Amino acid sequence: MSDNEKAVSMAVVRRLPRYYRFLSELLSENVVRISSRELAQRMGVTASQIRQDLNCFGGFGQQGYGYNVAVLLEEISRILYVKDSAPTILIGVGNMGRAVLTHLPFELRGFSIIGAFDKSQSIVGSRVGSHTVAHVDTLHDFCLRNKPLVAVLCIPKEAAVTLSAQLIEDGVRAFWNFSHYDIALNHPGVVVQNVHLGDSLMTLSYLLHHPENSGSAERE
Amino acid sequence: MSDNEKAVSMAVVRRLPRYYRFLSELLSENVVRISSRELAQRMGVTASQIRQDLNCFGGFGQQGYGYNVAVLLEEISRILYVKDSAPTILIGVGNMGRAVLTHLPFELRGFSIIGAFDKSQSIVGSRVGSHTVAHVDTLHDFCLRNKPLVAVLCIPKEAAVTLSAQLIEDGVRAFWNFSHYDIALNHPGVVVQNVHLGDSLMTLSYLLHHPENSGSAERE
DNA sequence: TAGATTGTTAATCGATTAACAATC
DNA sequence: TAGATTGTTAATCGATTAACAATC
């Protein structure tokens, strides 16, 4: 399935979710077909880029016609595995963990939350969304029994250092990392997506005070 | 001040916060000097890149010695304006808004939260962190009196469309945007940093299922 | 068929890496 | 001084854009 897909650069991969969003919107507006030119205009990119990006995965369009919105969305859904349910745990149910757990529709993006953990006795046992928070001491046993593949880390850096190593031992293969710990540096081969909100905020600060560059920054 | 700085690409700008983080850590470890080679090793990048990046802003090192950690951190702090206090408002005190408000140290990153707003009567009047949530209907008056420069949007797309236009009218020049609305497309010239957590999660899904690419993705 | 638009190759542009002379 | 390491130029690499033949 992924065998007939060429080598794809990260630049392309990072644009896929944006295509997914725009195509979802088009579908909900009952748009049936769209040309790369028109989509490019809506998204603020070039038509060339869209055609190049999509052709990394296959020829989803038709000459003289363009792309069928539903078909293209379906293809990108498949490429992104958004209909999958990768067993996922969340660790650290503080402000950020709670927000992520209740705010993000994991099920619509290829993940299924099967457990939430914290070390604070005041949080353990409480219900967040549809989950009862368990103590992080029970994590190892939980992993042996339930084999989570993905972990969302909403914990401080120090905790992330030891926990990520333990989780990798126990079979976790991908991290959605809100901590400041650079998991990938010490664990090559593990899949990591970092969410560095502080970095994003500092970038905003730079752009606010150096507006010359902002033009290039907006479409990102 | 920013006049003696060359044109800087977004690729470089986005790396600055990471330098800031690593240098802060080095300083807290009482490391006095560091060479580009050693820093590169710690960060998992090339020494060439570090020297190129820093030289966009000036020659902060010394041949034969390397970089003084404190001096370099100070320079990057200045470039990022982290000691500034740009007057900032937050709109939408739901799960995500509350987490951002209580979790992110805005004051350490160049911003100062001067107001929080929501449209729900059950939230208006409550205290979050050190702020009392005001009704979004009072926003226009608030802007006229307090002139916020930056707005953090933790609201749904539809609300973001109208509110961002109004805020720009009222003098807001930069947005930290958690919504799915593409502000920059309709308001060129305004500074925007998007935080698309859903996109990040979908990228993780892609990488989980196409691990070939992951090598290049980790250091990001 | 004629017109439109893709898929794909070639050209351009920009970013990263390598190399090295300058110099502390 | 000799050794180390920067600042900076040149070479490489990759990503974006332009062009156009294929074809629906």
Side-chain angles (χ1 to χ4, degrees), chain B residues 147-164:
Chain B
K147 299 283 177 207
L149 275 181
V150 182
V152 182
L153 300 188
C154 300
I155 54 184
K157 183 172 183 169
E158 302 70 37
V161 175
T162 53
L163 265 177
S164 60

Side-chain angles (χ1 to χ4, degrees), chain B residues 134-194:
Chain B
H135 196 282
V136 77
D137 287 348
T138 68
L139 187 53
H140 178 63
D141 279 355
F142 182 92
C143 287
L144 295 183
R145 268 183 286 110
N146 299 285
K147 299 283 177 207
L149 275 181
V150 182
V152 182
L153 300 188
C154 300
I155 54 184
K157 183 172 183 169
E158 302 70 37
V161 175
T162 53
L163 265 177
S164 60
Q166 182 198 315
L167 288 167
I168 291 165
E169 281 280 317
D170 288 345
V172 167
R173 294 220 305 269
F175 289 89
W176 203 30
N177 179 36
F178 286 72
S179 87
H180 284 176
Y181 171 53
D182 240 300
I183 302 171
L185 284 176
N186 297 309
H187 301 282
V190 168
V191 171
V192 181
Q193 266 291 297
N194 293 312

Side-chain angles (χ1 to χ4, degrees), chain A residues 53-196:
Chain A
D53 284 357
L54 297 179
N55 275 96
C56 292
F57 304 98
F60 304 140
Q62 200 170 48
Q63 278 101 331
Y65 174 84
Y67 299 87
N68 178 290
V69 172
V71 168
L72 187 52
L73 183 60
E74 187 60 30
E75 291 289 353
I76 294 180
S77 299
R78 179 183 58 76
I79 293 162
L80 291 173
Y81 284 78
V82 292
K83 291 175 189 158
D84 200 55
S85 310
T88 302
I89 53 176
L90 182 142
I91 303 166
V93 192
N95 291 311
M96 193 49 65
R98 194 175 293 113
V100 166
L101 204 49
T102 52
H103 182 263
L104 264 279
F106 284 90
E107 330 74 52
L108 298 179
R109 302 208 156 87
F111 302 88
S112 172
I113 299 283
I114 60 169
F117 299 85
D118 203 288
K119 73 174 212 293
S120 160
Q121 282 301 349
S122 62
I123 292 173
V124 169
S126 69
R127 287 189 74 78
V128 178
S130 56
H131 299 278
T132 302
V133 181
H135 196 280
V136 77
D137 286 348
T138 68
L139 186 52
H140 178 64
D141 280 354
F142 182 92
C143 288
L144 295 184
R145 267 182 286 111
N146 299 285
K147 298 284 177 204
L149 275 180
V150 182
V152 182
L153 300 188
C154 300
I155 53 182
K157 183 171 181 169
E158 302 70 36
V161 175
T162 50
L163 265 177
S164 59
Q166 184 199 314
L167 287 167
I168 292 165
E169 282 280 317
D170 288 345
V172 166
R173 293 221 305 269
F175 289 89
W176 203 29
N177 178 37
F178 285 73
S179 87
H180 284 178
Y181 171 53
D182 241 301
I183 301 172
L185 285 176
N186 296 310
H187 301 282
V190 167
V191 171
V192 181
Q193 266 291 297
N194 293 311
V195 180
H196 289 315

Side-chain angles (χ1 to χ4, degrees), chain B residues 88-127:
Chain B
T88 302
I89 54 177
L90 182 143
I91 304 167
V93 192
N95 291 313
M96 193 48 66
R98 192 176 294 114
V100 166
L101 204 49
T102 52
H103 183 263
L104 265 279
F106 284 90
E107 331 75 53
L108 298 180
R109 303 209 156 85
F111 302 89
S112 172
I113 299 284
I114 60 169
F117 300 84
D118 202 288
K119 74 173 213 293
S120 160
Q121 281 302 348
S122 62
I123 293 171
V124 169
S126 68
R127 288 190 73 77

Side-chain angles (χ1 to χ4, degrees), chain A residues 8-23 43 45-46 48-50 52-54 56-57 76 80 219-220, chain B residues 199 202-203:
Chain A
V8 181
S9 76
M10 268 310 287
V12 174
V13 172
R14 268 194 294 264
R15 284 194 289 268
L16 291 175
R18 191 152 185 267
Y19 291 131
Y20 180 88
R21 273 194 285 123
F22 275 80
L23 288 165
M43 296 184 65
V45 299
T46 66
S48 254
Q49 183 167 75
I50 291 177
Q52 285 273 26
D53 284 357
L54 297 179
C56 292
F57 304 98
I76 294 180
L80 291 173
R219 205 88 63 266
E220 155 270 1
Chain B
D199 286 15
M202 283 195 270
T203 304

Side-chain angles (χ1 to χ4, degrees), chain A residues 26 30-35 38 64-70:
Chain A
L26 286 169
N30 298 310
V31 176
V32 174
R33 62 165 281 263
I34 193 155
S35 67
E38 201 184 330
Y65 174 84
Y67 299 87
N68 178 290
V69 172

